[in-house]
Amino acid sequence: MNTRGLRSQLKDSVPVAGLCPQGSYGIQDSLRSGFTSVKNELLPSHPLELSEKNFVLNQDKMNFSTLRNIQGLHAPLKLQMEYRAARQIQRLPFLQSSNLALDTLRGSDDTIGFEDILSDPAQSETMGEPHMMVEYKLGLL
């Protein structure tokens, strides 16, 4: 078995920050983010799994590069500003947001995917007290 290839795969599959949110004391805040799941902390079982998680990011990078080569530097910068503005439009933190404006900008509003029918399992809804979740989102806690 080629151990060098295995090491590079393990190095590429380091858990991403934000998948296991931790509170100010270094432990997970179960009240805000739900119970811990061992599945979120596991390394990807297949090399394509990491690629699939970063598909949208890689596609955006490729589109921005192509747009820059064709139209110049201003076009991808304008599009990135529009993406950032569309990401900020959300419902209250305890309600799930559809991000329709962002899907329209990306051109994926007319495609039906797995998350449209069965909901995205990575974005499971957490039910909590609305007042506390809004205060946490605004940084008042």
Side-chain angles (χ1 to χ4, degrees), residues 76-130:
L77 289 176
K78 179 183 175 190
L79 195 57
Q80 283 177 352
M81 283 189 334
E82 290 176 357
Y83 281 179
R84 198 169 293 140
R87 267 190 231 114
Q88 290 177 352
I89 303 170
Q90 293 182 351
R91 295 183 180 153
L92 292 173
F94 56 91
L95 296 174
Q96 188 175 7
S97 182
S98 65
N99 294 324
L100 183 63
L102 189 61
D103 287 344
T104 304
L105 282 174
R106 285 200 171 124
S108 62
D109 56 337
D110 57 351
T111 59
I112 298 175
F114 174 80
E115 61 275 355
D116 293 328
I117 297 171
L118 298 175
S119 186
D120 189 7
Q123 298 177 350
S124 62
E125 293 183 27
T126 57
M127 206 57 184
E129 185 182 347

Side-chain angles (χ1 to χ4, degrees), residues 1-59:
M1 180 181 204
N2 185 359
T3 58
R4 176 177 282 168
L6 181 62
R7 271 192 222 128
S8 68
Q9 286 178 354
L10 289 177
K11 185 173 44 170
D12 292 341
S13 58
V14 173
V16 179
L19 289 180
C20 31
Q22 295 183 350
S24 58
Y25 296 107
I27 59 172
Q28 180 174 356
D29 191 1
S30 299
L31 187 60
R32 291 187 185 104
S33 59
F35 295 109
T36 59
S37 174
V38 177
K39 184 179 179 184
N40 290 339
E41 298 172 5
L42 292 176
L43 297 174
S45 59
H46 196 273
L48 284 178
E49 187 176 353
L50 189 63
S51 174
E52 284 294 317
K53 284 183 180 179
N54 297 329
F55 175 74
V56 176
L57 181 66
N58 292 338
Q59 187 178 22

